[in-house]
Amino acid sequence: MKLIRCTELYFLGTWVKKKYTEVVNLLYDGATLLLGDAQYESGADLSMLLIEALQKSSFPVADDLIEKVGIIFKLMGYGSLERIRFVHAALQWTRKNQGKSKMKLHQVLALVLWQEKNYADSRYHFLRSSDGQGCANMLIEYSVKKGYRSEVDLFIAQAVLQYLCLRNKTTAHAAFSAYTSEHPHVESGPPFSQTPLLNFLWLLLLAVETGKLGHFTILCEKYQPSIRRDPCYREVKAHSLSSRQEYTHAAQ
């Protein structure tokens, strides 16, 4: 009897999973069809139902589902309230599998927003992803099209410091390396003889990697004129130092 019961439960679980798959596919197809036909309100309703179905299902937060969320996001009206609600719900859904899944969704959203030339929002999502290369490429375009030559270092500096605040030193390093090596208006380096702020970032990343807080403090004092060019640096720098101290204590 126990074997029969286990067999029944197995087939029941398989049937439920199959039905959920059908529901997810149906909602996705319906949402993309309506949104593609500019029926945004109805399409948004089905999109929210899709996220609700994913939250209630036992499906893992897989890359193919995240890509579908990205396609729906792209089809939604730019800057619409429905789009904001959808993103919030989708990010809540990725909490089922913290870490890489949430970062992957942020990357997908960042790429869509970059295509729309919404650089500020794209930057927000890149900073919460692990795509340092993508972030650097977007910032290069942003800098060239919207910034002044004198601000070339500020674009990457803000990103690097905020990555460090979010305890993502690997992506901070990747973004810095890609930006400084590929930006058409950045001199070859390191070191960067014409751009003190880039030198500061380069040395800061080395200090963070080695955990030498004394070096961090000395760097901040030495490069204070460069750091003060943007008012947000003081707060971000303080946060970076606090995070670095927590890393060090955790390792002891």
Side-chain angles (χ1 to χ4, degrees):
M1 288 295 294
K2 186 175 181 180
L3 178 60
I4 294 173
R5 180 57 177 166
C6 288
T7 303
E8 289 174 347
L9 289 173
Y10 170 79
F11 282 110
L12 177 60
T14 303
W15 180 83
V16 170
K17 185 175 181 179
K18 180 180 178 182
K19 288 300 178 183
Y20 256 112
T21 302
E22 292 175 358
V23 168
V24 166
N25 290 336
L26 183 63
L27 289 171
Y28 171 76
D29 291 342
T32 53
L33 181 64
L34 290 169
L35 292 170
D37 198 35
Q39 297 184 49
Y40 296 116
E41 187 173 342
S42 298
D45 288 341
L46 287 185
S47 300
M48 293 300 291
L49 287 174
L50 170 62
I51 297 298
E52 184 179 339
L54 290 173
Q55 287 174 331
K56 292 180 178 179
S57 75
S58 59
F59 294 161
V61 186
D63 284 356
D64 63 320
L65 294 175
I66 292 175
E67 294 294 340
K68 286 184 176 182
V69 169
I71 291 171
I72 290 175
F73 175 75
K74 185 175 182 178
L75 291 171
M76 284 185 162
Y78 178 80
S80 66
L81 180 61
E82 289 80 10
R83 196 186 216 194
I84 295 171
R85 288 175 55 240
F86 177 73
V87 169
H88 178 73
L91 289 171
Q92 290 289 110
W93 161 61
T94 59
R95 289 185 178 181
K96 290 174 63 175
N97 181 17
Q98 282 284 9
K100 291 184 178 180
S101 296
K102 193 168 188 177
M103 297 180 86
K104 173 66 176 178
L105 179 55
H106 276 298
Q107 180 198 24
V108 168
L109 298 175
L111 291 171
V112 172
L113 291 162
W114 178 15
Q115 291 174 354
E116 297 174 350
K117 307 306 178 187
N118 184 346
Y119 297 112
D121 288 347
S122 175
R123 177 178 171 277
Y124 171 87
H125 288 288
F126 267 126
L127 289 175
R128 286 152 182 81
S129 77
S130 59
D131 187 3
Q133 178 72 56
C135 182
N137 292 339
M138 183 277 294
L139 289 173
I140 290 171
E141 183 179 305
Y142 192 10
S143 166
V144 170
K145 291 189 174 182
K146 301 291 184 179
Y148 296 103
R149 287 283 290 266
S150 61
E151 298 175 334
V152 66
D153 51 349
L154 295 178
F155 282 84
I156 188 61
Q158 292 174 349
V160 167
L161 290 174
Q162 291 190 24
Y163 272 128
L164 293 178
C165 284
L166 295 168
R167 305 184 182 186
N168 194 348
K169 63 181 181 181
T170 300
T171 308
H173 188 277
F176 177 78
S177 297
Y179 185 91
T180 54
S181 64
E182 298 175 24
H183 198 297
H185 302 150
V186 171
E187 62 182 307
S188 297
F192 305 93
S193 59
Q194 303 299 318
T195 321
L197 185 55
L198 293 182
N199 267 339
F200 167 75
L201 295 172
W202 168 52
L203 295 171
L204 171 62
L205 288 169
L206 291 177
V208 168
E209 188 66 33
T210 58
K212 295 180 178 178
L213 284 175
H215 291 183
F216 181 92
T217 304
I218 293 170
L219 284 172
C220 291
E221 293 174 355
K222 180 176 177 58
Y223 287 95
Q224 194 62 225
S226 298
I227 297 172
R228 282 200 303 244
R229 287 172 59 206
D230 192 301
C232 77
Y233 285 157
R234 183 176 300 174
E235 178 182 351
V236 174
K237 179 186 64 131
H239 195 155
S240 296
L241 178 58
S242 174
S243 296
R244 183 65 250 167
Q245 288 172 329
E246 290 179 19
Y247 288 142
T248 303
H249 292 327
Q252 291 175 344

